[in-house]
Amino acid sequence: MKNLLLLVALLLFNSGCTQKKGAHVATEKTVFVCPPCGGSCDDLTFDQAGKCPHCGMKLVNKASLILENNTQELSICFYLQDNVEVLDFAGPLEVFRVAGFKVFTVSKTKEKITSEGCLTILPEYSIADAPKADVMVFFGGLHGDPSNDPELINWIKSRIKATRYFMSVCTGAFIMGKAGILDGLTATTYHTQIEALTEAFPNTKVLENVRFVDNGDVICTAGISAGIDGALHFIAKIKGVDFAKQVAEDIEYDKWIPENGLVIKE
């Protein structure tokens, strides 16, 4: 009888502790923050949901943002060449910037380059001193064919094992193809270059009328504006569709349809 009374007392004590702990959790306040935008408001916190009064971005639950950021932030290398198409790289650059990723630019040398005659760009690195990146992205444009530059192609090949993801926009697919990255995979490119890509790389299945093709760690997009779709798809792979939709809303890109591409492998 004495042991039974002791057992009942212990159960009542544990029940009281559980209730107190639950009551404490229920009183904790939800904290909202601005998604990373690169501004001073990144460090601010808010008591209620809404929009950031400084940058206008939709505030998010800080706890959920921390959970999303448990995924390692990726470094992204944009390889740019003279006469690169502006929107090819500027669109994805804006997507990755708003999503909080670190993007750096590389060209064959550190000499200034010009994007299709209208924008002067000073690359941060050359292929001689560029750091390794988790993601490498290649773009098209009215340029001398970089896919036929042995020095560039050898540099890309030397980075393959250390790179987690590859992405091409428009005719940037030719650069990846020449480096052997597209061997045995499915790809796409600018609509007028579908036949040329097919002929150049017979071991690659080339598709038309698709905004992007995802082979798991290699993504190819169609021309120009399709690079935005490919970048948003990549963000959805890394941080989830809801986060990617928020990025699309923040850059006012209401044309994005998450399913408007072909996923061969997650």
Side-chain angles (χ1 to χ4, degrees), residues 61-72 238-239:
N61 187 314
K62 183 178 181 180
S64 63
L65 185 63
I66 291 174
L67 182 62
E68 289 171 351
N69 286 338
N70 283 338
T71 302
Q72 181 183 6
I238 302 302
K239 291 196 170 186

Side-chain angles (χ1 to χ4, degrees), residues 100-172:
F101 288 107
K102 167 61 179 175
V103 179
F104 61 87
T105 57
V106 179
S107 194
K108 187 171 182 179
T109 71
K110 290 184 180 179
E111 297 292 326
K112 68 178 182 181
I113 60 177
T114 304
S115 63
E116 295 207 337
C118 64
L119 179 67
T120 300
I121 305 165
L122 191 62
E124 296 174 78
Y125 301 98
S126 71
I127 61 175
D129 64 1
K132 293 180 180 179
D134 298 300
V135 187
M136 295 186 73
V137 193
F138 304 93
F139 308 93
L142 299 174
H143 47 68
D145 192 356
S147 65
N148 288 327
D149 184 337
E151 187 177 0
L152 170 61
I153 298 305
N154 287 334
W155 174 73
I156 296 171
K157 288 181 177 180
S158 72
R159 297 296 178 102
I160 290 179
K161 289 184 178 181
T163 305
R164 294 174 59 185
Y165 299 98
F166 291 90
M167 178 177 169
S168 69
V169 178
C170 197
T171 53

